[in-house]
Amino acid sequence: QVQLVESGGGPVQAGDPLRLSCAASGRTFSRYAMGWFRQAPGKEREFVSAISSSGGTISYSDSMKGRFTISRDNAKNTVYLQMNSLRPEDTAVYYCAARTGWSPYPSRSSVYDYWGQGTQVTVSS
């Protein structure tokens, strides 16, 4: 059982960077694969990125690859999402998620067992 808390969201201007953090409770964080998803108003929740428990395997959605970078610090029980060159269409609530071990389908929200409350990112033009 793990609790996830996202932070770092807020209002930014187009072109700016932003770093999101997801802090996890528990002593077994290093066993969890972590994912980032986002949901804009009126749209389906979409996959952003995922990282394996060791950090050795990383997955990105095609539309965000090259601008966003996922990383983790197991000593701090934290996963990060570095977002660069933000665009208004990146405006959404960003959620982190966790599951035990890596899934062959990391982009599917259904494979994750735990979810944070989300953090709002608003990008103005």
Side-chain angles (χ1 to χ4, degrees):
Q1 187 168 307
V2 62
Q3 293 185 100
L4 307 173
V5 180
E6 302 96 335
S7 62
V12 297
Q13 290 190 305
D16 285 353
L18 195 66
R19 190 188 195 189
L20 305 182
S21 299
C22 176
S25 66
R27 54 181 283 273
T28 58
F29 176 75
S30 62
R31 300 180 184 177
Y32 290 99
M34 303 293 295
W36 284 99
F37 291 77
R38 70 184 187 185
Q39 188 167 24
K43 294 187 176 182
E44 296 285 323
R45 184 169 298 188
E46 67 173 332
F47 172 72
V48 176
S49 186
I51 187 168
S52 64
S53 58
S54 67
T57 302
I58 291 174
S59 181
Y60 295 99
S61 70
D62 290 339
S63 62
M64 291 161 237
K65 188 175 183 179
R67 292 194 299 122
F68 292 5
T69 303
I70 192 170
S71 62
R72 67 189 297 157
D73 187 338
N74 287 349
K76 296 181 178 179
N77 277 23
T78 302
V79 64
Y80 305 96
L81 183 69
Q82 178 67 49
M83 305 184 293
N84 296 326
S85 301
L86 283 166
R87 306 163 182 169
E89 53 263 42
D90 294 320
T91 295
V93 176
Y94 285 72
Y95 300 89
C96 67
R99 60 163 283 121
T100 302
W102 183 253
S103 169
Y105 308 101
S107 65
R108 298 180 181 179
S109 61
S110 61
V111 309
Y112 296 91
D113 301 310
Y114 307 100
W115 293 83
Q117 83 291 341
T119 185
Q120 177 72 48
V121 174
T122 303
V123 185
S124 60
S125 59

